[in-house]
Amino acid sequence: PQLIHTGAVVQQQASIKIGEGSVVCACSVITTDVLIGKHVLINLGCTIGHDVTIGDFTSVMPGAHISGNVTIGKAVLVGSGAVILNGVRVGDQAVIGAGAVVTRDVPEGMVVAGVPARPLVNKH
């Protein structure tokens, strides 16, 4: 089953799909037209904007903010306090460093950090 804390806000429940085994922690907000895959962690105090897709096995750490129309691939790690701006695509197995501000697409397997986020290494 999915686990959604009673302190989380799921605004437009009819337009939000949350996969099996996923967890949404307290103080997180999920807006509208959101698709969250299987076994995804939305940690404490995260915001998920409109028209967002989050792939299976992704972890969004505390205080991260994902803007509208963002696509996040499978097995991605979004670090604490990171911000992903509108329209960005994040490839499978990418890592977004804590506090990073992602303004551009992140390729599969890329590790990015900083403000604005810049590539550090490609895991592939």
Side-chain angles (χ1 to χ4, degrees):
Q2 311 97 352
L3 298 174
I4 301 172
H5 191 279
T6 56
V9 177
V10 180
Q11 292 182 338
Q12 296 288 327
Q13 291 184 11
S15 70
I16 296 170
K17 293 184 176 48
I18 300 174
E20 67 183 43
S22 291
V23 176
V24 179
C25 294
C27 302
S28 289
V29 177
I30 302 174
T31 59
T32 186
D33 295 321
V34 173
L35 175 59
I36 295 173
K38 297 176 184 176
H39 305 286
V40 171
L41 171 61
I42 306 297
N43 218 311
L44 298 164
C46 295
T47 57
I48 311 296
H50 65 88
D51 301 296
V52 168
T53 300
I54 300 175
D56 299 342
F57 305 105
T58 289
S59 294
V60 182
M61 295 294 103
H65 301 290
I66 300 171
S67 299
N69 197 31
V70 169
T71 300
I72 298 175
K74 295 178 181 177
V76 172
L77 174 62
V78 179
S80 295
V83 176
I84 302 176
L85 297 183
N86 287 1
V88 168
R89 300 178 75 77
V90 178
D92 295 345
Q93 299 178 351
V95 176
I96 310 300
V101 176
V102 181
T103 61
R104 299 181 204 178
D105 292 354
V106 177
E108 178 177 339
M110 185 67 65
V111 178
V112 300
V115 179
R118 302 230 186 265
L120 297 180
V121 68
N122 191 324
K123 300 186 309 184
H124 295 285

